[in-house]
Amino acid sequence: MNSSPMRMPWVDTAKGLSIILVVMMYSAYNTGEYTGGVGFLHYVIGFATPFRMPEFFLISGLFLSQVIDRPWRRYVDRRVVHYLYFYVLWAIISIGLKIGIFSRDPAGMLHDLAMAVVQPYGVLWFIYMLAVFGLAAKLLRQFAVPAWIVIPIAACLQMWAPHPDSYAVEQFAAYFVFFYVGFVMAPLVFRLVEWTQARPALAAAGLLLWAVINGLLVYSPGYDMQPVGMRMGLAAWPPLHLTLAVAGAVALCVLGGFLSKFPAMEWLRWLGEHSLVVYVAFTIPMSLFRGAALASGLLTDTGMLSLTVLLVSIISPVILYFIIQRIGFGMFLFERPAWAHVDDGSAAQAASKTPLPAAATQSSRT
């Protein structure tokens, strides 16, 4: 499938790398929780610990400048309601299946549904926080708060890493700085990627140097790999952690630019273009397959089981996506229907669409 001319291939390729890292983390740690062991994927995802989620948020902020000055109603439709629609829909699906059906706990299901309003639910916290970040950025813009004030305060919150009772507040402190840095640094990031794309040998050398430094700092003395997480070495020092997060996020953008030049990487670009499809739907096949694999006893090695769970978790939502495209029913799972828009122009545009739009997952929706 060819990319839309309105999209930037390197951005989608970088998003493809990001979604693989996110699903890899959940696959490795979820498997490790049940096997009690550590596999090779634990060390791969351990390397990415500083920048795994920061990169996702930084990319989401890259296109914010295209919409942030739009009228409130249109902006809220694109940057708040858009994400809340998918969050609410998939929270209902996930909680209904896991708690209501599999656990047969209607009371627990209703409790979790109510809590999901104020406490981001499960892996869907990322979509919830994108809506919050979009609203916060618009308010800061509305009140003309300069970036030189916002970024230092957001950076201090990230390094402080508070753990209040509110998970939403905790995640805001941990990741808003990357979203806002993506917004502010967008012109620089775009120029850097364009510059390195024209100099592939230099880009490869720079990425290799970054990978060595990042790996040495993450796996320096003091690191501890566990079945459900890891403690980094020197990279855990808050100022260094923040620096490595931004550096790693930018490095993945450069890597996306490098890989997007190869036709063999088209699948990765496609995956990034449809990253929302994978993100909202991967946990259900992940849990089902992991449980079945462990029950069968055929695959017990933590590393190989984690890898298999990763592949199933990524491929299953893609298969579902193509099935929906083929039968023409269920598009509401990955595309907002007209009634879920608060801007009349957006609703009319959504109503006129028949196929699942590739642009539905692009952060630069206008």
Side-chain angles (χ1 to χ4, degrees):
M1 180 183 296
N2 294 326
S3 176
S4 164
M6 298 300 293
R7 304 181 69 91
M8 301 183 70
W10 74 259
V11 174
D12 287 326
T13 303
K15 288 173 67 177
L17 293 168
S18 295
I19 194 62
I20 290 175
L21 289 174
V22 170
V23 178
M24 183 186 299
M25 181 202 70
Y26 284 105
S27 299
Y29 291 164
N30 183 271
T31 301
E33 180 180 3
Y34 285 89
T35 64
V38 171
F40 63 89
L41 279 190
H42 280 74
Y43 290 92
V44 177
I45 205 61
F47 169 85
T49 298
F51 59 86
R52 184 187 63 251
M53 290 311 299
E55 197 268 348
F56 232 39
F57 285 113
L58 187 141
I59 284 186
S60 297
L62 287 179
F63 297 94
L64 187 62
S65 62
Q66 297 182 6
V67 297
I68 197 167
D69 290 321
R70 292 187 180 276
W72 264 99
R73 185 167 181 172
R74 176 162 293 188
Y75 178 84
V76 167
D77 182 78
R78 270 59 165 189
R79 303 297 303 207
V80 180
V81 176
H82 174 70
Y83 295 115
L84 290 182
Y85 168 78
F86 293 108
Y87 172 76
V88 171
L89 173 65
W90 284 92
I92 292 173
I93 293 173
S94 299
I95 294 172
L97 286 175
K98 294 179 181 179
I99 311 300
I101 297 179
F102 296 151
S103 298
R104 299 180 181 179
D105 183 8
M109 179 186 69
L110 293 176
H111 173 269
D112 283 7
L113 286 172
M115 289 300 298
V117 176
V118 294
Q119 295 279 45
Y121 178 78
V123 301
L124 298 174
W125 70 269
F126 167 76
I127 300 175
Y128 184 104
M129 294 312 300
L130 276 178
V132 174
F133 290 167
L135 185 59
K138 180 66 171 177
L139 288 171
L140 290 168
R141 184 77 158 189
Q142 185 77 25
F143 291 103
V145 182
W148 62 266
I149 291 179
V150 176
I151 291 179
I153 293 176
C156 288
L157 281 174
Q158 196 277 336
M159 290 185 287
W160 177 29
H163 294 282
D165 292 335
S166 171
Y167 188 57
V169 173
E170 178 183 342
Q171 297 300 75
F172 185 92
Y175 295 109
F176 180 69
V177 64
F178 305 111
F179 180 80
Y180 204 81
V181 163
F183 164 50
V184 174
M185 288 180 51
L188 178 61
V189 173
F190 287 129
R191 286 197 298 269
L192 176 63
V193 172
E194 183 180 6
W195 188 83
T196 54
Q197 281 185 310
R199 300 163 177 82
L202 192 59
L207 288 169
L208 179 60
L209 178 62
W210 158 76
V212 170
I213 294 174
N214 183 85
L216 289 175
L217 291 172
V218 167
Y219 289 110
S220 54
Y223 87 89
D224 180 27
M225 183 64 68
Q226 300 172 356
V228 293
M230 79 164 295
R231 183 176 67 245
M232 297 183 293
L234 292 174
W237 184 49
L240 188 54
H241 187 187
L242 175 61
T243 302
L244 289 176
V246 175
V250 173
L252 253 67
C253 290
V254 172
L255 180 58
F258 180 80
L259 294 177
S260 66
K261 294 295 185 179
F262 297 94
M265 290 292 104
E266 170 64 13
W267 67 272
L268 185 59
R269 184 210 59 77
W270 187 96
L271 192 65
E273 185 176 357
H274 302 81
S275 58
L276 182 66
V277 172
V278 177
Y279 192 88
V280 298
F282 81 87
T283 58
I284 296 172
M286 179 186 74
S287 298
L288 292 175
F289 178 80
R290 185 258 308 146
L294 287 175
S296 69
L298 297 177
L299 193 58
T300 58
D301 176 73
T302 300
M304 291 307 300
L305 180 56
S306 298
L307 177 60
T308 309
V309 169
L310 169 65
L311 295 175
V312 170
S313 300
I314 291 177
I315 293 173
S316 297
V318 173
I319 292 175
L320 174 62
Y321 174 86
F322 282 122
I323 290 174
I324 288 174
Q325 274 198 320
R326 184 65 180 268
I327 66 176
F329 175 76
M331 290 189 288
F332 66 91
L333 292 172
F334 305 117
E335 175 192 357
R336 267 195 304 166
W339 61 262
H341 289 261
V342 297
D343 178 68
D344 293 339
S346 299
Q349 185 180 31
S352 67
K353 294 177 181 177
T354 50
L356 281 170
T361 62
Q362 178 74 351
S363 297
S364 60
R365 290 171 60 99
T366 57

